[in-house]
Amino acid sequence: MAQGLSDRETAGRPVVAEQTVKTHVSRRLARLRLRDRTRAAVYAYESGLMRPAGH
């Protein structure tokens, strides 16, 4: 998620099926009580986990 890849793009990496990616992403979102990847990105920036590129 942190790299902004879709489920399919992440699954294209060695040894990871798309359904596995979907399961992991949905579990992380549920644990954080977030509804989608966009909210996860906002959360990451607001909590200081990530900074905009070049900063």
Side-chain angles (χ1 to χ4, degrees):
M1 258 190 319
Q3 294 177 346
L5 301 176
S6 69
D7 293 338
R8 183 164 292 198
E9 290 168 328
T10 303
R13 300 202 169 177
V15 195
V16 182
E18 184 174 358
Q19 190 57 48
T20 301
V21 174
K22 288 179 180 183
T23 299
H24 285 288
V25 169
S26 66
R27 286 180 182 170
R28 296 305 154 244
L29 292 173
R31 183 172 286 181
L32 294 169
R33 296 187 174 141
L34 302 169
R35 65 180 178 200
D36 56 35
R37 290 169 182 259
T38 302
R39 299 288 181 197
V42 171
Y43 174 83
Y45 282 107
E46 288 180 346
S47 65
L49 295 171
M50 295 182 69
R51 285 190 257 161
H55 291 264

